[in-house]
Amino acid sequence: MKRNTLIFILLILIVAFAGLSYFIAQHPILAFDIRTSLFIQQYHADWLDKVMLAISFFGELPYSLLSVVIVAAIFYWQKYKREGIFISTVLLSGLIILGIKNIINRPRPTAFYVRLVEVNRFQSYPSGHVLSYTLFFGFLIILMYHLKSIPKTTRNIITYLSAFLVVTIAPSRIYLGAHWFTDTVGGFLLGLICLFPLCYFYFRKKVKP
């Protein structure tokens, strides 16, 4: 894609996220969010609780930090030093999400509205899980498409697993009662916004002295 097209897409994402954030700050409880949560939670079982908790596992502290560090170390150890360094920068998204959560200060869903399988401490908007999954696993998918020197089977496994987690993390968070639907949309938009500069600097050609 051309550079101007990518910039245009990034601007749309930023405007969409800013608009949604402002709206949520003014309307923390939405009837649409409640209906969406109840619709998703109407189908529940003990085994499904465990599946959804497993999907969210990589976004829980300290496992989210360890996952990034371990994967970055593996890339670095396997002679993909540049990729390992870029993967490690995903950790900076934690500071971004905490800052925005404090600014919007949206409360978490409560047992008055939804079924709570998981209880969380921090504010609700945007979803840190969805942000981190979109950024971290999204970047892994891009790397697997780009690094042809990695065996195809390995690239396919990582790609399919990463794509599965990116797709299922939002429904998982809503099912667990940890987030509203709009929280997950905000997390996804912010994850894509953070993915843009990460990919830009990764693919930017090095300037020869």
Side-chain angles (χ1 to χ4, degrees), residues 159-186:
T159 298
Y160 293 139
L161 178 59
S162 297
F164 170 79
L165 291 172
V166 171
V167 170
T168 57
I169 186 58
S172 165
R173 303 309 292 161
I174 299 171
Y175 175 90
L176 295 172
H179 283 288
W180 300 114
F181 172 77
T182 47
D183 294 334
T184 64
V185 174

PDB file of all heavy atoms in Angstrom, residues 159-186:
ATOM      1  N   THR A 159       1.201 -18.102  12.810  1.00  0.00           N
ATOM      2  CA  THR A 159       0.212 -17.231  12.184  1.00  0.00           C
ATOM      3  C   THR A 159      -1.205 -17.611  12.568  1.00  0.00           C
ATOM      4  O   THR A 159      -2.011 -16.757  12.974  1.00  0.00           O
ATOM      5  CB  THR A 159       0.349 -17.272  10.653  1.00  0.00           C
ATOM      6  OG1 THR A 159       1.638 -16.785  10.276  1.00  0.00           O
ATOM      7  CG2 THR A 159      -0.726 -16.413   9.988  1.00  0.00           C
ATOM      8  N   TYR A 160      -1.544 -18.896  12.466  1.00  0.00           N
ATOM      9  CA  TYR A 160      -2.912 -19.349  12.761  1.00  0.00           C
ATOM     10  C   TYR A 160      -3.234 -19.191  14.242  1.00  0.00           C
ATOM     11  O   TYR A 160      -4.348 -18.793  14.610  1.00  0.00           O
ATOM     12  CB  TYR A 160      -3.101 -20.797  12.317  1.00  0.00           C
ATOM     13  CG  TYR A 160      -3.038 -20.983  10.820  1.00  0.00           C
ATOM     14  CD1 TYR A 160      -2.369 -22.066  10.254  1.00  0.00           C
ATOM     15  CD2 TYR A 160      -3.632 -20.051   9.966  1.00  0.00           C
ATOM     16  CE1 TYR A 160      -2.299 -22.228   8.878  1.00  0.00           C
ATOM     17  CE2 TYR A 160      -3.570 -20.207   8.588  1.00  0.00           C
ATOM     18  CZ  TYR A 160      -2.906 -21.302   8.047  1.00  0.00           C
ATOM     19  OH  TYR A 160      -2.851 -21.456   6.676  1.00  0.00           O
ATOM     20  N   LEU A 161      -2.270 -19.513  15.098  1.00  0.00           N
ATOM     21  CA  LEU A 161      -2.493 -19.369  16.538  1.00  0.00           C
ATOM     22  C   LEU A 161      -2.675 -17.897  16.905  1.00  0.00           C
ATOM     23  O   LEU A 161      -3.577 -17.547  17.688  1.00  0.00           O
ATOM     24  CB  LEU A 161      -1.319 -19.970  17.314  1.00  0.00           C
ATOM     25  CG  LEU A 161      -1.399 -19.856  18.849  1.00  0.00           C
ATOM     26  CD1 LEU A 161      -2.650 -20.548  19.371  1.00  0.00           C
ATOM     27  CD2 LEU A 161      -0.152 -20.443  19.498  1.00  0.00           C
ATOM     28  N   SER A 162      -1.843 -17.042  16.346  1.00  0.00           N
ATOM     29  CA  SER A 162      -1.935 -15.606  16.623  1.00  0.00           C
ATOM     30  C   SER A 162      -3.262 -15.042  16.127  1.00  0.00           C
ATOM     31  O   SER A 162      -3.914 -14.254  16.821  1.00  0.00           O
ATOM     32  CB  SER A 162      -0.767 -14.861  15.963  1.00  0.00           C
ATOM     33  OG  SER A 162       0.472 -15.280  16.498  1.00  0.00           O
ATOM     34  N   ALA A 163      -3.662 -15.432  14.919  1.00  0.00           N
ATOM     35  CA  ALA A 163      -4.918 -14.948  14.356  1.00  0.00           C
ATOM     36  C   ALA A 163      -6.104 -15.410  15.210  1.00  0.00           C
ATOM     37  O   ALA A 163      -7.052 -14.644  15.446  1.00  0.00           O
ATOM     38  CB  ALA A 163      -5.079 -15.441  12.917  1.00  0.00           C
ATOM     39  N   PHE A 164      -6.052 -16.648  15.683  1.00  0.00           N
ATOM     40  CA  PHE A 164      -7.119 -17.176  16.543  1.00  0.00           C
ATOM     41  C   PHE A 164      -7.260 -16.343  17.815  1.00  0.00           C
ATOM     42  O   PHE A 164      -8.377 -15.985  18.226  1.00  0.00           O
ATOM     43  CB  PHE A 164      -6.827 -18.639  16.899  1.00  0.00           C
ATOM     44  CG  PHE A 164      -7.735 -19.197  17.952  1.00  0.00           C
ATOM     45  CD1 PHE A 164      -9.025 -19.611  17.630  1.00  0.00           C
ATOM     46  CD2 PHE A 164      -7.307 -19.308  19.269  1.00  0.00           C
ATOM     47  CE1 PHE A 164      -9.871 -20.121  18.605  1.00  0.00           C
ATOM     48  CE2 PHE A 164      -8.138 -19.812  20.251  1.00  0.00           C
ATOM     49  CZ  PHE A 164      -9.431 -20.228  19.917  1.00  0.00           C
ATOM     50  N   LEU A 165      -6.142 -16.012  18.429  1.00  0.00           N
ATOM     51  CA  LEU A 165      -6.168 -15.245  19.677  1.00  0.00           C
ATOM     52  C   LEU A 165      -6.646 -13.808  19.441  1.00  0.00           C
ATOM     53  O   LEU A 165      -7.387 -13.261  20.267  1.00  0.00           O
ATOM     54  CB  LEU A 165      -4.784 -15.242  20.316  1.00  0.00           C
ATOM     55  CG  LEU A 165      -4.325 -16.592  20.872  1.00  0.00           C
ATOM     56  CD1 LEU A 165      -2.873 -16.536  21.316  1.00  0.00           C
ATOM     57  CD2 LEU A 165      -5.211 -17.033  22.031  1.00  0.00           C
ATOM     58  N   VAL A 166      -6.241 -13.209  18.331  1.00  0.00           N
ATOM     59  CA  VAL A 166      -6.681 -11.847  18.024  1.00  0.00           C
ATOM     60  C   VAL A 166      -8.200 -11.807  17.815  1.00  0.00           C
ATOM     61  O   VAL A 166      -8.881 -10.885  18.279  1.00  0.00           O
ATOM     62  CB  VAL A 166      -5.958 -11.306  16.777  1.00  0.00           C
ATOM     63  CG1 VAL A 166      -6.583  -9.974  16.325  1.00  0.00           C
ATOM     64  CG2 VAL A 166      -4.474 -11.105  17.061  1.00  0.00           C
ATOM     65  N   VAL A 167      -8.723 -12.828  17.144  1.00  0.00           N
ATOM     66  CA  VAL A 167     -10.157 -12.868  16.838  1.00  0.00           C
ATOM     67  C   VAL A 167     -10.998 -13.184  18.065  1.00  0.00           C
ATOM     68  O   VAL A 167     -12.099 -12.650  18.240  1.00  0.00           O
ATOM     69  CB  VAL A 167     -10.434 -13.907  15.720  1.00  0.00           C
ATOM     70  CG1 VAL A 167     -11.932 -14.138  15.549  1.00  0.00           C
ATOM     71  CG2 VAL A 167      -9.832 -13.436  14.406  1.00  0.00           C
ATOM     72  N   THR A 168     -10.493 -14.045  18.951  1.00  0.00           N
ATOM     73  CA  THR A 168     -11.305 -14.528  20.070  1.00  0.00           C
ATOM     74  C   THR A 168     -11.148 -13.730  21.362  1.00  0.00           C
ATOM     75  O   THR A 168     -11.947 -13.899  22.286  1.00  0.00           O
ATOM     76  CB  THR A 168     -10.978 -15.997  20.377  1.00  0.00           C
ATOM     77  OG1 THR A 168      -9.568 -16.131  20.654  1.00  0.00           O
ATOM     78  CG2 THR A 168     -11.360 -16.887  19.202  1.00  0.00           C
ATOM     79  N   ILE A 169     -10.154 -12.857  21.449  1.00  0.00           N
ATOM     80  CA  ILE A 169      -9.909 -12.172  22.727  1.00  0.00           C
ATOM     81  C   ILE A 169     -11.054 -11.235  23.110  1.00  0.00           C
ATOM     82  O   ILE A 169     -11.440 -11.150  24.280  1.00  0.00           O
ATOM     83  CB  ILE A 169      -8.559 -11.397  22.696  1.00  0.00           C
ATOM     84  CG1 ILE A 169      -8.255 -10.824  24.074  1.00  0.00           C
ATOM     85  CG2 ILE A 169      -8.563 -10.334  21.633  1.00  0.00           C
ATOM     86  CD1 ILE A 169      -8.172 -11.828  25.188  1.00  0.00           C
ATOM     87  N   ALA A 170     -11.642 -10.536  22.144  1.00  0.00           N
ATOM     88  CA  ALA A 170     -12.741  -9.617  22.458  1.00  0.00           C
ATOM     89  C   ALA A 170     -13.965 -10.360  22.993  1.00  0.00           C
ATOM     90  O   ALA A 170     -14.494 -10.005  24.061  1.00  0.00           O
ATOM     91  CB  ALA A 170     -13.098  -8.769  21.240  1.00  0.00           C
ATOM     92  N   PRO A 171     -14.463 -11.406  22.300  1.00  0.00           N
ATOM     93  CA  PRO A 171     -15.585 -12.172  22.863  1.00  0.00           C
ATOM     94  C   PRO A 171     -15.258 -12.779  24.220  1.00  0.00           C
ATOM     95  O   PRO A 171     -16.139 -12.877  25.089  1.00  0.00           O
ATOM     96  CB  PRO A 171     -15.825 -13.266  21.815  1.00  0.00           C
ATOM     97  CG  PRO A 171     -15.279 -12.708  20.553  1.00  0.00           C
ATOM     98  CD  PRO A 171     -14.109 -11.871  20.950  1.00  0.00           C
ATOM     99  N   SER A 172     -13.995 -13.176  24.406  1.00  0.00           N
ATOM    100  CA  SER A 172     -13.577 -13.742  25.688  1.00  0.00           C
ATOM    101  C   SER A 172     -13.737 -12.737  26.819  1.00  0.00           C
ATOM    102  O   SER A 172     -14.278 -13.053  27.888  1.00  0.00           O
ATOM    103  CB  SER A 172     -12.108 -14.191  25.605  1.00  0.00           C
ATOM    104  OG  SER A 172     -11.573 -14.432  26.889  1.00  0.00           O
ATOM    105  N   ARG A 173     -13.294 -11.499  26.597  1.00  0.00           N
ATOM    106  CA  ARG A 173     -13.368 -10.477  27.641  1.00  0.00           C
ATOM    107  C   ARG A 173     -14.811 -10.120  27.986  1.00  0.00           C
ATOM    108  O   ARG A 173     -15.155  -9.872  29.144  1.00  0.00           O
ATOM    109  CB  ARG A 173     -12.617  -9.212  27.200  1.00  0.00           C
ATOM    110  CG  ARG A 173     -11.162  -9.429  26.846  1.00  0.00           C
ATOM    111  CD  ARG A 173     -10.409 -10.167  27.913  1.00  0.00           C
ATOM    112  NE  ARG A 173     -10.254  -9.366  29.132  1.00  0.00           N
ATOM    113  CZ  ARG A 173      -9.968  -9.884  30.326  1.00  0.00           C
ATOM    114  NH1 ARG A 173      -9.879 -11.190  30.495  1.00  0.00           N
ATOM    115  NH2 ARG A 173      -9.812  -9.091  31.364  1.00  0.00           N
ATOM    116  N   ILE A 174     -15.664 -10.093  26.966  1.00  0.00           N
ATOM    117  CA  ILE A 174     -17.088  -9.802  27.208  1.00  0.00           C
ATOM    118  C   ILE A 174     -17.743 -10.965  27.934  1.00  0.00           C
ATOM    119  O   ILE A 174     -18.519 -10.770  28.878  1.00  0.00           O
ATOM    120  CB  ILE A 174     -17.806  -9.521  25.876  1.00  0.00           C
ATOM    121  CG1 ILE A 174     -17.188  -8.299  25.189  1.00  0.00           C
ATOM    122  CG2 ILE A 174     -19.299  -9.286  26.114  1.00  0.00           C
ATOM    123  CD1 ILE A 174     -17.694  -8.080  23.769  1.00  0.00           C
ATOM    124  N   TYR A 175     -17.450 -12.186  27.515  1.00  0.00           N
ATOM    125  CA  TYR A 175     -18.017 -13.374  28.145  1.00  0.00           C
ATOM    126  C   TYR A 175     -17.650 -13.441  29.624  1.00  0.00           C
ATOM    127  O   TYR A 175     -18.483 -13.807  30.470  1.00  0.00           O
ATOM    128  CB  TYR A 175     -17.513 -14.621  27.426  1.00  0.00           C
ATOM    129  CG  TYR A 175     -17.953 -15.923  28.081  1.00  0.00           C
ATOM    130  CD1 TYR A 175     -19.139 -16.551  27.707  1.00  0.00           C
ATOM    131  CD2 TYR A 175     -17.177 -16.521  29.072  1.00  0.00           C
ATOM    132  CE1 TYR A 175     -19.545 -17.720  28.305  1.00  0.00           C
ATOM    133  CE2 TYR A 175     -17.576 -17.695  29.680  1.00  0.00           C
ATOM    134  CZ  TYR A 175     -18.764 -18.297  29.301  1.00  0.00           C
ATOM    135  OH  TYR A 175     -19.171 -19.468  29.910  1.00  0.00           O
ATOM    136  N   LEU A 176     -16.414 -13.097  29.944  1.00  0.00           N
ATOM    137  CA  LEU A 176     -15.938 -13.172  31.329  1.00  0.00           C
ATOM    138  C   LEU A 176     -16.501 -12.053  32.205  1.00  0.00           C
ATOM    139  O   LEU A 176     -16.302 -12.064  33.423  1.00  0.00           O
ATOM    140  CB  LEU A 176     -14.414 -13.134  31.362  1.00  0.00           C
ATOM    141  CG  LEU A 176     -13.698 -14.329  30.707  1.00  0.00           C
ATOM    142  CD1 LEU A 176     -12.196 -14.072  30.630  1.00  0.00           C
ATOM    143  CD2 LEU A 176     -13.988 -15.615  31.473  1.00  0.00           C
ATOM    144  N   GLY A 177     -17.173 -11.094  31.586  1.00  0.00           N
ATOM    145  CA  GLY A 177     -17.710  -9.972  32.348  1.00  0.00           C
ATOM    146  C   GLY A 177     -16.637  -8.956  32.720  1.00  0.00           C
ATOM    147  O   GLY A 177     -16.850  -8.114  33.590  1.00  0.00           O
ATOM    148  N   ALA A 178     -15.503  -9.028  32.049  1.00  0.00           N
ATOM    149  CA  ALA A 178     -14.386  -8.131  32.361  1.00  0.00           C
ATOM    150  C   ALA A 178     -14.496  -6.806  31.623  1.00  0.00           C
ATOM    151  O   ALA A 178     -13.941  -5.797  32.067  1.00  0.00           O
ATOM    152  CB  ALA A 178     -13.062  -8.805  32.008  1.00  0.00           C
ATOM    153  N   HIS A 179     -15.192  -6.809  30.473  1.00  0.00           N
ATOM    154  CA  HIS A 179     -15.270  -5.603  29.649  1.00  0.00           C
ATOM    155  C   HIS A 179     -16.623  -5.496  28.959  1.00  0.00           C
ATOM    156  O   HIS A 179     -17.323  -6.497  28.755  1.00  0.00           O
ATOM    157  CB  HIS A 179     -14.186  -5.606  28.568  1.00  0.00           C
ATOM    158  CG  HIS A 179     -12.825  -5.259  29.082  1.00  0.00           C
ATOM    159  ND1 HIS A 179     -12.473  -3.981  29.476  1.00  0.00           N
ATOM    160  CD2 HIS A 179     -11.724  -6.023  29.258  1.00  0.00           C
ATOM    161  CE1 HIS A 179     -11.211  -3.982  29.881  1.00  0.00           C
ATOM    162  NE2 HIS A 179     -10.736  -5.211  29.758  1.00  0.00           N
ATOM    163  N   TRP A 180     -16.943  -4.260  28.573  1.00  0.00           N
ATOM    164  CA  TRP A 180     -18.064  -4.008  27.688  1.00  0.00           C
ATOM    165  C   TRP A 180     -17.600  -4.144  26.250  1.00  0.00           C
ATOM    166  O   TRP A 180     -16.396  -4.084  25.966  1.00  0.00           O
ATOM    167  CB  TRP A 180     -18.618  -2.598  27.908  1.00  0.00           C
ATOM    168  CG  TRP A 180     -19.124  -2.296  29.280  1.00  0.00           C
ATOM    169  CD1 TRP A 180     -18.592  -1.401  30.181  1.00  0.00           C
ATOM    170  CD2 TRP A 180     -20.266  -2.866  29.928  1.00  0.00           C
ATOM    171  NE1 TRP A 180     -19.330  -1.387  31.334  1.00  0.00           N
ATOM    172  CE2 TRP A 180     -20.368  -2.276  31.213  1.00  0.00           C
ATOM    173  CE3 TRP A 180     -21.216  -3.823  29.550  1.00  0.00           C
ATOM    174  CZ2 TRP A 180     -21.376  -2.602  32.119  1.00  0.00           C
ATOM    175  CZ3 TRP A 180     -22.226  -4.151  30.448  1.00  0.00           C
ATOM    176  CH2 TRP A 180     -22.295  -3.547  31.701  1.00  0.00           C
ATOM    177  N   PHE A 181     -18.554  -4.288  25.336  1.00  0.00           N
ATOM    178  CA  PHE A 181     -18.226  -4.405  23.916  1.00  0.00           C
ATOM    179  C   PHE A 181     -17.429  -3.200  23.430  1.00  0.00           C
ATOM    180  O   PHE A 181     -16.436  -3.340  22.700  1.00  0.00           O
ATOM    181  CB  PHE A 181     -19.514  -4.550  23.092  1.00  0.00           C
ATOM    182  CG  PHE A 181     -19.298  -4.480  21.613  1.00  0.00           C
ATOM    183  CD1 PHE A 181     -18.776  -5.567  20.926  1.00  0.00           C
ATOM    184  CD2 PHE A 181     -19.595  -3.324  20.899  1.00  0.00           C
ATOM    185  CE1 PHE A 181     -18.555  -5.508  19.546  1.00  0.00           C
ATOM    186  CE2 PHE A 181     -19.393  -3.254  19.530  1.00  0.00           C
ATOM    187  CZ  PHE A 181     -18.874  -4.342  18.853  1.00  0.00           C
ATOM    188  N   THR A 182     -17.844  -1.995  23.819  1.00  0.00           N
ATOM    189  CA  THR A 182     -17.138  -0.789  23.367  1.00  0.00           C
ATOM    190  C   THR A 182     -15.726  -0.711  23.929  1.00  0.00           C
ATOM    191  O   THR A 182     -14.861  -0.067  23.329  1.00  0.00           O
ATOM    192  CB  THR A 182     -17.931   0.473  23.735  1.00  0.00           C
ATOM    193  OG1 THR A 182     -18.367   0.392  25.101  1.00  0.00           O
ATOM    194  CG2 THR A 182     -19.148   0.640  22.836  1.00  0.00           C
ATOM    195  N   ASP A 183     -15.477  -1.344  25.066  1.00  0.00           N
ATOM    196  CA  ASP A 183     -14.106  -1.429  25.588  1.00  0.00           C
ATOM    197  C   ASP A 183     -13.211  -2.185  24.617  1.00  0.00           C
ATOM    198  O   ASP A 183     -12.066  -1.801  24.369  1.00  0.00           O
ATOM    199  CB  ASP A 183     -14.074  -2.151  26.942  1.00  0.00           C
ATOM    200  CG  ASP A 183     -14.793  -1.386  28.036  1.00  0.00           C
ATOM    201  OD1 ASP A 183     -14.887  -0.158  27.930  1.00  0.00           O
ATOM    202  OD2 ASP A 183     -15.247  -2.028  28.991  1.00  0.00           O
ATOM    203  N   THR A 184     -13.758  -3.285  24.089  1.00  0.00           N
ATOM    204  CA  THR A 184     -12.971  -4.120  23.183  1.00  0.00           C
ATOM    205  C   THR A 184     -12.751  -3.422  21.846  1.00  0.00           C
ATOM    206  O   THR A 184     -11.685  -3.555  21.237  1.00  0.00           O
ATOM    207  CB  THR A 184     -13.648  -5.484  22.949  1.00  0.00           C
ATOM    208  OG1 THR A 184     -14.905  -5.305  22.281  1.00  0.00           O
ATOM    209  CG2 THR A 184     -13.897  -6.196  24.276  1.00  0.00           C
ATOM    210  N   VAL A 185     -13.747  -2.658  21.392  1.00  0.00           N
ATOM    211  CA  VAL A 185     -13.578  -1.894  20.149  1.00  0.00           C
ATOM    212  C   VAL A 185     -12.474  -0.854  20.332  1.00  0.00           C
ATOM    213  O   VAL A 185     -11.606  -0.693  19.465  1.00  0.00           O
ATOM    214  CB  VAL A 185     -14.898  -1.202  19.744  1.00  0.00           C
ATOM    215  CG1 VAL A 185     -14.667  -0.283  18.535  1.00  0.00           C
ATOM    216  CG2 VAL A 185     -15.962  -2.237  19.414  1.00  0.00           C
ATOM    217  N   GLY A 186     -12.494  -0.161  21.468  1.00  0.00           N
ATOM    218  CA  GLY A 186     -11.457   0.824  21.748  1.00  0.00           C
ATOM    219  C   GLY A 186     -10.080   0.187  21.818  1.00  0.00           C
ATOM    220  O   GLY A 186      -9.101   0.737  21.303  1.00  0.00           O
TER     221      GLY A 186
END
